[in-house]
Amino acid sequence: MRVKISRKEHFNAAHRLHNPAWNDARNAAVFGKCNSPNFHGHNYEVIANVTGEIDPDSGFVIDMKVLKQLLKEEIIEPFDHLNLNLDVAEFKTLNPTAENMVVVIWKRLRNRLSSDLDLSVTLYETERNYVEYSGK
Amino acid sequence: MRVKISRKEHFNAAHRLHNPAWNDARNAAVFGKCNSPNFHGHNYEVIANVTGEIDPDSGFVIDMKVLKQLLKEEIIEPFDHLNLNLDVAEFKTLNPTAENMVVVIWKRLRNRLSSDLDLSVTLYETERNYVEYSGK
Amino acid sequence: MRVKISRKEHFNAAHRLHNPAWNDARNAAVFGKCNSPNFHGHNYEVIANVTGEIDPDSGFVIDMKVLKQLLKEEIIEPFDHLNLNLDVAEFKTLNPTAENMVVVIWKRLRNRLSSDLDLSVTLYETERNYVEYSGK
Amino acid sequence: MRVKISRKEHFNAAHRLHNPAWNDARNAAVFGKCNSPNFHGHNYEVIANVTGEIDPDSGFVIDMKVLKQLLKEEIIEPFDHLNLNLDVAEFKTLNPTAENMVVVIWKRLRNRLSSDLDLSVTLYETERNYVEYSGK
Amino acid sequence: MRVKISRKEHFNAAHRLHNPAWNDARNAAVFGKCNSPNFHGHNYEVIANVTGEIDPDSGFVIDMKVLKQLLKEEIIEPFDHLNLNLDVAEFKTLNPTAENMVVVIWKRLRNRLSSDLDLSVTLYETERNYVEYSGK
Amino acid sequence: MRVKISRKEHFNAAHRLHNPAWNDARNAAVFGKCNSPNFHGHNYEVIANVTGEIDPDSGFVIDMKVLKQLLKEEIIEPFDHLNLNLDVAEFKTLNPTAENMVVVIWKRLRNRLSSDLDLSVTLYETERNYVEYSGK
């Protein structure tokens, strides 16, 4: 009996989409308003979805307090109220599109979870734009 | 690394559930209030979920501007502020249940996407009733 | 100690904005897509906000079961899964804009509430368009 | 063409997380505030996701009126405005964690659905904590 | 220039509506399912709305960190994951209806705010039932 | 019969709270994470609430298409996907707190509305933090 348990957290960050290998015209054409030079920002919602067996003693797949702490250490504290391009190591050389962000978040969480648990991550950039990655 | 990217749009439409091969009593029994003769309507929310590889140059699975334009051309402009039964070609001979609608929407979008991208569509008829189709 | 208590209900209806005293061009210019001839529709959310003294025995301003029943009789059953223009008496001669609808709803509810209670009504046509009327 | 149709309902219930085989200190350490002796409670949202073929005559995978009635009989009436630990048979000997609850709900619904329909259940304990089970 | 600033927080609690001066039949008739003897519960959302002048140096009506801390001390810690009837002083002799709760919450917060700030409190018992009190 | 009509729009922007007349320690103490030097950002939701008489010919207080266009010209295009501190004239010398922002937005819209219409503006910085201003 494998159950998926999900925890949603949020962080607020600035970012800019830009490829330094392209000229300004191509950056503007591909990234549009998201290429605006002085950054813009979002209220990101991040969901960690963890699938595993229910522990018969606790009734938990994973202790929600543990999962919240993990999200706090790996995602919220490193990203919240910061500039993704300038303040977060991974995005100094990687464009912080939602797609690249969800892979970075997945890797940070995957490293901290036991191998018998499956993980997918959902990231909302806005209420209408979101991405999901499960390591495949 | 295959990531799923989702875009949500909305349209407002009238419809009526009715099977012309059935008599009035059977239509009323099966479709209840949804068979009301002068139509009723909904604020539909439609989500296109597109799965593919991240392009290393743009950091995109698909350019969100392209996906929005595709939804606008194939779904929003043909359906929005219209009567599904009377104004939309597919539903002149097909009952516009949420199930039939999500298949029609999936086919319209599938035709416009490159074959290396997977597609599923989610359609909310109300906040509490929704359907999903992935072409299987 | 006057407390405001709010109850939200929903109904799904078709409608069309149209002024029969105007020609087609003016109707199209003023009402745009909302003038589409075969109707469109919405998931309406209606909120009755009732303000009064707390009864010291029950702790209620108004029994929520009573307010729900009132909304059911006066608004949900007469409007739900119907065509506002064709099926609802008030809108046979009154354009069912959100503004006119909220006044009609307010009057229907006001007639049924005791005079020591204040009433305002909020009506959501979509998540992003809504109106409020308090009888002033 | 298999479509997934989802119906969301809600119930309000009290519960307490507690393992009678553990002493108070261990219960407090594992369950934290959720072990509070006099119970706390939630507005639970439960979603039944049913996947099957579209019936060509009705356009339905399952009649939504039937699915609503099933949820009412099996989940809402037995759980709503009750104390899960004290008033619901399954939880007299099973800790009512979200994980255990979603399995109990899945079993209750699975027993009532025809075998050609697949079922998963999603249960929201809060807007930020939720679980899903599909019988695997 | 008086601006209203609002902060929303949540707590999860059990409660029961009951008037000890009434017999069981009258309690059942007035409070219905909310009179269920073993309690039920809710995810309450509480909003403090504070109105005042903007401080020209900080640009704040009230520092949001201060308002969050106040809500934590006066409402979240005393109410969260507890049984309102059994664990909260005010409700040992006062029926914890939403109306009575919002007045209690308003009084707790009012005592802690400077007199040049106006206060109203909104309390959601469910997404569809809520109350507001402004001290009038 | 004065009805209030509300239109909600959104924009995504970066900002930083900072008072140049203060030293770094005081800025950090008052503004906390919001003083982070490289900016952070939000998905802002802005609601224009316009109150007036219903026009008997159109059934409108104000044509929603006109109100949407006004919001687009005055708020969305000048603010969206930009850095409030660096790219928006008013915030080059005014700290972009939610309180100051809602007053700026109100003034921009007030200038464009006829004097028989009342205006209030609501601005959500996050789902849990929001402000309202009505010109008083």
Side-chain angles (χ1 to χ4, degrees):
Chain A
M1 292 198 316
R2 289 181 76 78
V3 169
K4 180 168 71 171
I5 180 160
S6 298
R7 173 68 193 176
K8 180 156 72 164
E9 297 285 353
H10 64 280
F11 60 92
N12 308 317
H15 80 154
R16 180 199 186 195
L17 301 190
H18 184 74
N19 183 339
W22 293 347
N23 64 19
D24 285 358
R26 185 155 181 207
N27 270 296
V30 173
F31 297 123
K33 291 183 298 181
C34 299
N35 185 240
S36 178
N38 291 321
F39 309 101
H40 62 284
H42 296 290
N43 301 332
Y44 290 95
E45 298 275 351
V46 58
I47 306 172
N49 308 288
V50 175
T51 304
E53 297 289 324
I54 302 178
D55 176 89
D57 290 324
S58 67
F60 287 161
V61 165
I62 182 173
D63 185 337
M64 189 61 90
K65 295 187 297 298
V66 171
L67 184 57
K68 283 174 69 171
Q69 182 61 23
L70 186 54
L71 279 157
K72 187 179 173 194
E73 292 173 16
E74 293 293 333
I75 312 300
I76 307 310
E77 290 184 346
F79 290 14
D80 189 35
H81 280 77
L82 292 171
N83 182 308
L84 298 174
N85 304 63
L86 301 180
D87 297 325
V88 177
E90 286 94 333
F91 301 116
K92 290 183 180 172
T93 56
L94 181 69
N95 203 6
T97 60
E99 290 94 325
N100 283 335
M101 288 176 67
V102 77
V103 173
V104 164
I105 292 169
W106 184 88
K107 287 179 181 170
R108 283 175 169 248
L109 296 176
R110 180 69 272 177
N111 283 341
R112 299 284 302 274
L113 288 170
S114 102
S115 62
D116 58 323
L117 297 170
D118 293 322
L119 172 69
S120 74
V121 173
T122 311
L123 177 72
Y124 283 75
E125 192 173 82
T126 71
E127 187 193 0
R128 296 189 172 274
N129 294 354
Y130 51 98
V131 291
E132 187 169 297
Y133 181 60
S134 60
K136 285 165 194 166
Chain B
M1 292 197 316
R2 289 181 76 77
V3 168
K4 180 168 71 170
I5 180 161
S6 298
R7 173 68 192 176
K8 179 156 72 163
E9 298 284 352
H10 65 279
F11 60 91
N12 308 316
H15 80 154
R16 179 199 186 195
L17 302 189
H18 185 73
N19 182 341
W22 293 347
N23 64 19
D24 286 358
R26 187 157 180 206
N27 270 295
V30 173
F31 297 123
K33 291 184 297 182
C34 298
N35 185 239
S36 179
N38 291 322
F39 309 102
H40 62 285
H42 295 291
N43 301 332
Y44 290 95
E45 299 274 352
V46 58
I47 306 172
N49 309 287
V50 174
T51 303
E53 297 288 326
I54 301 179
D55 176 89
D57 291 324
S58 66
F60 287 160
V61 165
I62 182 174
D63 185 336
M64 189 60 89
K65 295 188 296 298
V66 171
L67 184 57
K68 282 174 69 171
Q69 182 62 23
L70 185 54
L71 278 158
K72 187 180 173 195
E73 292 174 16
E74 292 294 333
I75 311 301
I76 307 309
E77 289 184 347
F79 289 15
D80 189 35
H81 279 78
L82 293 171
N83 183 308
L84 298 174
N85 305 63
L86 301 180
D87 297 326
V88 178
E90 286 94 334
F91 301 115
K92 289 183 179 172
T93 55
L94 181 69
N95 204 6
T97 60
E99 291 93 325
N100 283 335
M101 287 177 67
V102 78
V103 173
V104 164
I105 291 169
W106 183 89
K107 287 179 180 171
R108 282 175 170 248
L109 297 176
R110 180 69 273 178
N111 284 339
R112 298 286 302 276
L113 288 170
S114 102
S115 62
D116 57 324
L117 297 170
D118 294 322
L119 173 68
S120 73
V121 173
T122 311
L123 178 72
Y124 282 75
E125 193 173 83
T126 72
E127 188 194 359
R128 296 189 171 273
N129 293 354
Y130 51 98
V131 291
E132 187 169 298
Y133 181 60
S134 60
K136 285 164 194 167
Chain C
M1 293 197 315
R2 290 180 75 77
V3 169
K4 179 167 71 171
I5 179 162
S6 299
R7 173 68 194 175
K8 180 156 71 163
E9 297 285 354
H10 65 280
F11 60 91
N12 308 316
H15 81 153
R16 178 198 186 196
L17 302 190
H18 184 75
N19 182 340
W22 293 347
N23 63 21
D24 285 358
R26 186 157 180 205
N27 270 295
V30 173
F31 297 122
K33 291 183 298 181
C34 299
N35 186 239
S36 177
N38 291 322
F39 309 102
H40 62 284
H42 295 291
N43 300 333
Y44 290 95
E45 298 275 350
V46 58
I47 306 172
N49 308 287
V50 174
T51 304
E53 296 289 325
I54 301 178
D55 176 90
D57 291 324
S58 66
F60 288 160
V61 165
I62 182 174
D63 185 337
M64 190 60 89
K65 295 187 298 297
V66 171
L67 184 57
K68 282 174 69 171
Q69 182 61 23
L70 186 53
L71 279 157
K72 186 180 174 195
E73 291 174 16
E74 292 294 333
I75 312 300
I76 307 310
E77 290 184 346
F79 290 14
D80 188 35
H81 279 78
L82 293 171
N83 183 308
L84 298 174
N85 304 63
L86 301 180
D87 296 325
V88 177
E90 286 94 333
F91 301 115
K92 290 184 179 170
T93 55
L94 181 68
N95 203 7
T97 60
E99 291 94 324
N100 283 335
M101 286 176 69
V102 77
V103 173
V104 164
I105 291 169
W106 184 88
K107 287 179 180 170
R108 283 175 170 247
L109 296 176
R110 180 69 271 179
N111 284 340
R112 299 283 303 274
L113 288 170
S114 103
S115 62
D116 57 323
L117 297 169
D118 294 321
L119 173 68
S120 73
V121 173
T122 311
L123 178 71
Y124 283 76
E125 194 173 82
T126 70
E127 189 193 359
R128 297 191 170 273
N129 294 353
Y130 52 98
V131 292
E132 187 168 298
Y133 182 60
S134 60
K136 286 165 192 163
Chain D
M1 292 197 316
R2 290 181 76 78
V3 169
K4 179 167 72 170
I5 181 161
S6 298
R7 173 67 193 174
K8 179 156 72 162
E9 298 284 353
H10 65 279
F11 60 92
N12 309 316
H15 80 155
R16 179 199 187 195
L17 301 189
H18 185 75
N19 182 340
W22 293 346
N23 63 19
D24 285 358
R26 186 157 181 206
N27 271 295
V30 173
F31 298 123
K33 290 183 299 181
C34 299
N35 184 240
S36 177
N38 291 323
F39 309 100
H40 63 284
H42 296 290
N43 301 333
Y44 290 95
E45 299 274 352
V46 59
I47 306 172
N49 308 287
V50 175
T51 304
E53 297 288 326
I54 301 178
D55 176 88
D57 291 325
S58 66
F60 287 159
V61 165
I62 182 172
D63 185 337
M64 190 59 91
K65 295 187 298 297
V66 171
L67 184 57
K68 283 173 69 171
Q69 182 61 23
L70 186 54
L71 279 157
K72 187 179 173 193
E73 291 173 16
E74 292 293 334
I75 311 300
I76 307 308
E77 290 184 346
F79 289 15
D80 189 35
H81 280 78
L82 292 171
N83 183 309
L84 298 174
N85 304 63
L86 301 180
D87 297 326
V88 177
E90 286 95 332
F91 302 115
K92 290 183 179 171
T93 55
L94 180 70
N95 204 7
T97 60
E99 291 94 324
N100 282 336
M101 287 176 68
V102 77
V103 173
V104 164
I105 290 169
W106 184 89
K107 287 179 181 170
R108 282 174 170 248
L109 296 176
R110 180 68 271 179
N111 283 340
R112 298 285 302 275
L113 288 169
S114 103
S115 62
D116 57 323
L117 296 170
D118 294 321
L119 172 69
S120 73
V121 173
T122 312
L123 178 72
Y124 282 76
E125 193 172 84
T126 72
E127 188 194 359
R128 295 190 173 273
N129 294 354
Y130 51 98
V131 291
E132 187 169 296
Y133 181 60
S134 60
K136 285 164 194 165
Chain E
M1 294 198 314
R2 289 180 76 77
V3 169
K4 180 168 71 171
I5 180 162
S6 298
R7 174 69 194 174
K8 180 156 72 162
E9 297 285 353
H10 65 279
F11 60 92
N12 309 316
H15 80 154
R16 180 200 186 195
L17 301 189
H18 184 75
N19 182 340
W22 292 348
N23 63 20
D24 286 357
R26 187 158 180 204
N27 270 296
V30 173
F31 297 122
K33 291 183 298 182
C34 299
N35 185 239
S36 179
N38 291 323
F39 310 100
H40 62 285
H42 296 291
N43 301 332
Y44 290 96
E45 299 274 352
V46 58
I47 306 172
N49 308 287
V50 175
T51 304
E53 297 289 325
I54 301 178
D55 177 88
D57 290 325
S58 66
F60 287 160
V61 165
I62 183 173
D63 184 337
M64 190 60 90
K65 295 187 297 298
V66 171
L67 185 57
K68 283 174 69 171
Q69 182 61 22
L70 185 54
L71 278 158
K72 187 180 174 195
E73 291 174 16
E74 292 294 334
I75 311 301
I76 307 308
E77 290 184 346
F79 290 15
D80 188 35
H81 279 78
L82 293 171
N83 183 307
L84 298 174
N85 304 63
L86 302 180
D87 297 326
V88 178
E90 285 95 332
F91 302 115
K92 289 184 179 171
T93 56
L94 180 69
N95 205 6
T97 60
E99 291 94 325
N100 284 334
M101 287 176 67
V102 77
V103 173
V104 164
I105 291 169
W106 184 89
K107 288 179 179 169
R108 283 175 170 248
L109 296 175
R110 180 69 272 178
N111 284 340
R112 300 285 302 276
L113 288 170
S114 103
S115 62
D116 57 324
L117 297 170
D118 293 322
L119 172 68
S120 74
V121 173
T122 312
L123 178 71
Y124 282 76
E125 193 173 83
T126 72
E127 188 194 0
R128 297 191 170 273
N129 293 355
Y130 52 98
V131 292
E132 186 168 298
Y133 181 61
S134 60
K136 285 165 193 164
Chain F
M1 294 199 314
R2 289 181 75 78
V3 169
K4 180 168 72 172
I5 180 161
S6 299
R7 172 70 192 173
K8 181 157 70 164
E9 297 285 353
H10 65 279
F11 60 92
N12 308 316
H15 80 155
R16 180 200 186 195
L17 302 188
H18 184 74
N19 183 339
W22 293 347
N23 63 20
D24 286 357
R26 187 157 181 205
N27 270 295
V30 173
F31 297 123
K33 291 183 297 182
C34 299
N35 185 240
S36 178
N38 291 322
F39 309 101
H40 63 284
H42 295 291
N43 301 333
Y44 290 96
E45 298 275 351
V46 59
I47 305 172
N49 309 287
V50 174
T51 304
E53 296 289 325
I54 302 178
D55 176 89
D57 291 325
S58 66
F60 287 160
V61 166
I62 182 173
D63 185 337
M64 190 61 89
K65 295 187 296 299
V66 171
L67 185 56
K68 282 174 69 170
Q69 182 61 22
L70 186 54
L71 279 157
K72 187 180 173 194
E73 291 174 17
E74 292 293 334
I75 312 301
I76 307 309
E77 289 184 346
F79 290 14
D80 189 35
H81 279 79
L82 292 170
N83 183 307
L84 298 174
N85 304 63
L86 301 181
D87 298 325
V88 178
E90 285 94 333
F91 301 116
K92 289 183 180 171
T93 56
L94 181 69
N95 203 6
T97 60
E99 291 93 326
N100 283 336
M101 287 177 68
V102 77
V103 173
V104 164
I105 291 170
W106 184 89
K107 288 179 179 169
R108 282 174 170 248
L109 297 176
R110 180 68 272 178
N111 284 340
R112 299 283 303 275
L113 289 169
S114 103
S115 63
D116 58 323
L117 297 170
D118 293 322
L119 172 69
S120 73
V121 173
T122 312
L123 178 72
Y124 282 76
E125 194 173 82
T126 71
E127 188 194 1
R128 297 191 170 272
N129 294 354
Y130 51 98
V131 291
E132 186 169 298
Y133 181 60
S134 61
K136 285 164 193 164

